[in-house]
């Protein structure tokens, strides 16, 4: 529990999210028009060879649409594309990757509705998987339980369940899961007078996210010039919510974000962090790359660190900061993120794409991606294997990365997911918390702005 010594003004911010409102229905024409323009810049367009992605020499181009860091690529990842192409000389793989997951999803939905402009394989984040398996979209995907040769029994049962449509079709194969930890800069902690040993660091906030915010307050008292304790209040919101048994949906999988105790808890702590000045006020995954530059320029000392974040740290913090980052246990176990690979039926090479999706998400490939990028596998045997539990990532030195995340993964109990989770998350973080953090918006006004956005943009 949080102490009762907060001011009445701060208390009003905590009680604000308890007020209920029923979202209405409004037109989305303006949003769709904007997406139609933005879609041209994102995944899946363009082409080599013929209109169906084939070449005169019989080589088939398979396009993979992703967001964030999946670890498949040949430059910074596990070089899986090169390996597959060597095994299949008739296949050429082209990945289109964007940073902004919400824009990626909005564009993907638009293209699914049109049946054109799609990549042969499209990644789907867990926050959108309930929408992807819903009545409007389920029929637009290839059933990967029947096509491509994947062994769905190899994946975590709850992961398969998330991607299974009401008709029984499996529309996506699990890539990774997102067990939570906290990544921190040892050198900045030392300068701020905080412990640097990962066990002692974890003890600072063990059992309570409010202790994490308190550690941030202590850090700021002696913070190295130009640094903040945490990267963003929105990132903190997502991390706290990841540990809550009730998130955006009720037990039936219906959206109930305003009545959610998990959302209230995460919102209150994020507001406290924003108003307390312990964050660098950055927007995660922003298109301008400001957040990415913050890693390289040492602008913050901690980041909420689901397993997939370790690959982002490696890529963005760069060689100059290798060995400075370490990983500690989170205040409370949680799961933030995790994705799937899906194959649209409208693709020209659905069978070949299904085979590639099955290969990329097979246990052997999961282990390779983890060894390079830190993405915790969603296949049972790989998750429990010595290759994962005993693994270390070179960028993090002697940190027992595999042991930390395997232990965190064992505590995951997924919350119900609604088909609107991803959209509501974006409204709360980018249009609510970010406004408080960067523009000084009153938290009650920011909450009301989120309510209006949900009512205007989401049809229920």
């Amino acid at each position: 529990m949080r102490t009762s010594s907060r001011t009445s003004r701060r208390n009003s911010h905590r009680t604000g999210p308890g007020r209920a409102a029923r979202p209405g229905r409004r037109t989305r024409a303006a949003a769709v028009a904007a997406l139609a323009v933005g879609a041209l810049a994102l995944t899946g367009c363009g082409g080599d060879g013929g209109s169906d992605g084939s070449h005169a020499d019989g080589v088939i181009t398979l396009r993979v649409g992703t967001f964030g860091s999946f670890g498949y690529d040949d430059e910074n990842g596990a070089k899986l594309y090169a390996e597959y192409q060597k095994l299949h000389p008739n296949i050429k793989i082209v990945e289109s990757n964007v940073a902004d997951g919400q824009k990626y999803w909005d564009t993907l939905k638009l293209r699914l509705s049109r049946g054109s402009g799609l990549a042969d394989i499209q990644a789907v984040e867990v926050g959108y998987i309930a929408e992807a398996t819903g009545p409007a979209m389920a029929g637009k995907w290839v059933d990967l339980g029947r096509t491509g040769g994947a062994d769905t029994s190899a994946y975590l049962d709850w992961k398969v369940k998330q991607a299974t449509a009401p008709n029984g079709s499996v529309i996506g194969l699990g890539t990774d899961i997102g067990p939570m930890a906290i990544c921190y800069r040892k050198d900045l902690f030392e300068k701020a007078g905080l412990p640097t040993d990962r066990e002692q660091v974890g003890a600072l906030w063990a059992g309570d996210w409010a202790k994490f915010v308190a550690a941030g307050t202590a850090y700021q008292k002696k913070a190295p010039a130009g640094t903040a304790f945490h990267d963003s209040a929105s990132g903190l919101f997502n991390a706290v919510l990841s540990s809550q048994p009730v998130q955006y949906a009720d037990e039936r999988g219906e959206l109930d974000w305003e009545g959610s105790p998990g959302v209230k808890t995460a919102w209150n702590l994020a507001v406290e962090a924003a108003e307390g000045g312990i964050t660098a006020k950055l927007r995660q995954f922003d298109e301008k790359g400001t957040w990415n530059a913050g890693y390289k320029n040492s602008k913050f000392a901690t980041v909420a660190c689901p397993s997939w974040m370790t690959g982002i740290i490696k890529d963005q913090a760069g060689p100059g900061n290798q060995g400075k980052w370490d990983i500690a246990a989170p205040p409370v176990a949680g799961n933030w993120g995790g994705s799937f690979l899906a194959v649209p039926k409208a693709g020209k090479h659905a069978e070949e794409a299904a085979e590639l999706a099955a290969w990329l998400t097979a246990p052997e490939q999961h282990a390779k991606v983890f060894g390079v990028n830190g993405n915790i596998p969603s296949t049972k045997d790989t998750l429990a294997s010595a290759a994962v539990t005993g693994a270390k990532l070179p960028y993090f030195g002697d940190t027992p990365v595999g042991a930390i995340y395997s232990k965190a993964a064992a505590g995951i109990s997924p919350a119900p997911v609604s088909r609107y989770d991803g959209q509501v998350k974006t409204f709360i973080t980018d249009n609510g918390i970010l406004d408080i953090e960067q523009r000084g918006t009153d938290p009650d006004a920011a909450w009301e702005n989120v309510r209006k956005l949900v009512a205007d943009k989401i049809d229920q």
Side-chain angles (χ1 to χ4, degrees):
M1 294 292 289
R2 300 166 72 184
T3 65
S4 58
S5 61
R6 305 290 194 272
T7 65
S8 59
R9 177 174 178 271
R10 189 68 59 83
N11 283 333
S12 73
H13 298 161
R14 292 203 298 274
T15 57
R19 296 171 295 183
R22 186 181 299 278
R25 292 174 179 259
R26 289 177 173 75
T27 178
R28 302 186 66 187
V32 172
L35 286 174
V37 175
L40 298 175
L42 295 180
T43 64
C45 277
D48 299 323
S51 61
D52 65 350
S54 61
H55 294 256
D57 58 3
V59 174
I60 294 171
T61 297
L62 294 179
R63 304 187 183 283
V64 182
T66 63
F67 52 88
S69 179
F70 277 71
Y72 302 146
D73 65 280
D74 300 332
E75 183 176 356
N76 297 312
K79 298 179 173 55
L80 295 189
Y81 295 147
E83 183 178 350
Y84 192 82
Q85 289 169 155
K86 185 175 181 180
L87 294 170
H88 302 79
N90 66 315
I91 299 294
K92 176 183 178 182
I93 302 171
V94 177
E95 181 183 78
S96 297
N97 178 273
V98 297
D100 191 314
Q102 182 63 53
K103 288 186 177 180
Y104 167 92
W105 176 246
D106 288 341
T107 301
L108 175 54
K109 285 201 299 181
L110 181 63
R111 291 181 173 174
L112 280 169
S113 69
R114 292 175 171 176
S116 64
L118 293 155
D120 297 285
I121 294 175
Q122 297 277 181
V124 179
E125 204 266 344
V126 66
Y128 307 104
I129 194 64
E131 188 173 6
T133 58
M137 289 191 194
K140 297 181 182 297
W141 308 101
V142 172
D143 182 356
L144 297 177
R146 296 176 179 272
T147 305
D151 177 11
T152 56
S153 68
Y155 302 86
L156 293 166
D157 295 340
W158 59 263
K159 190 78 171 177
V160 177
K161 182 178 179 181
Q162 287 178 329
T164 301
N167 65 2
S169 65
V170 179
I171 69 104
L173 301 176
T175 58
D176 60 328
I177 56 177
M180 183 61 63
I182 299 293
C183 291
Y184 67 98
R185 280 280 297 267
K186 294 180 288 186
D187 56 329
L188 298 182
F189 265 44
E190 183 176 16
K191 291 176 181 178
L194 296 180
T196 59
D197 175 79
R198 69 183 68 93
E199 297 296 331
Q200 295 176 351
V201 169
L204 290 174
W205 47 67
D208 191 347
W209 282 101
K211 292 181 181 179
F212 181 78
V213 175
T217 301
Y219 176 92
Q220 294 301 150
K221 291 178 179 178
K222 297 182 180 179
T227 73
F229 175 69
H230 201 54
D231 68 320
S232 74
S234 295
L236 178 61
F237 172 88
N238 288 325
V240 175
L241 191 63
S242 79
S243 66
Q244 304 299 307
V246 178
Q247 299 178 13
Y248 301 104
D250 61 23
E251 61 183 11
R252 298 171 299 169
E254 298 295 329
L255 182 66
D256 185 24
W257 69 280
E258 286 196 87
S260 166
V263 169
K264 295 174 189 176
T265 296
W267 174 274
N268 292 335
L269 285 170
V271 168
E272 184 176 348
E275 295 191 322
I278 69 170
T279 74
K281 302 181 180 181
L282 299 173
R283 177 178 176 264
Q284 292 187 331
F285 309 104
D286 67 302
E287 291 178 310
K288 294 181 179 179
T290 307
W291 179 65
N292 288 341
Y295 282 107
K296 186 167 294 184
N297 299 325
S298 304
K299 292 297 185 181
F300 47 86
T302 68
V303 63
C305 207
S307 51
W308 47 263
M309 190 71 79
T310 59
I312 293 174
I313 292 173
K314 170 179 68 73
D315 293 344
Q316 301 305 330
N321 289 309
Q322 183 166 347
K324 296 179 181 178
W325 284 92
D326 208 330
I327 306 173
V332 185
N335 185 78
W336 173 9
S339 298
F340 304 82
L341 295 186
V343 176
K345 287 182 178 178
K348 300 295 184 181
H349 303 287
E351 185 174 347
E352 291 86 354
E355 292 173 358
L356 173 58
W359 186 86
L360 288 171
T361 60
E364 297 82 1
Q365 277 60 256
H366 274 177
K368 295 170 188 174
V369 170
F370 174 75
V372 174
N373 226 47
N375 293 12
I376 286 288
S378 61
T379 44
K380 302 171 188 175
D381 290 347
T382 318
L383 183 59
S385 69
V388 171
T389 60
K392 297 179 180 180
L393 299 178
Y395 195 84
F396 291 84
D398 65 352
T399 303
V401 178
I404 291 171
Y405 283 113
S406 296
K407 181 178 180 180
I412 292 175
S413 181
V417 179
S418 89
R419 64 184 185 274
Y420 302 112
D421 282 16
Q423 292 171 276
V424 174
K425 177 182 74 173
T426 297
F427 294 149
I428 290 176
T429 56
D430 291 2
N431 302 101
I433 294 170
L434 197 65
D435 282 350
I436 299 169
E437 191 173 34
Q438 293 188 349
R439 301 175 183 87
T441 303
D442 179 82
D444 286 340
W447 181 265
E448 184 63 25
N449 290 341
V450 174
R451 290 175 60 188
K452 291 177 179 178
L453 282 167
V454 173
D456 187 56
K457 300 295 185 183
I458 294 179
D459 293 328
Q460 297 188 81

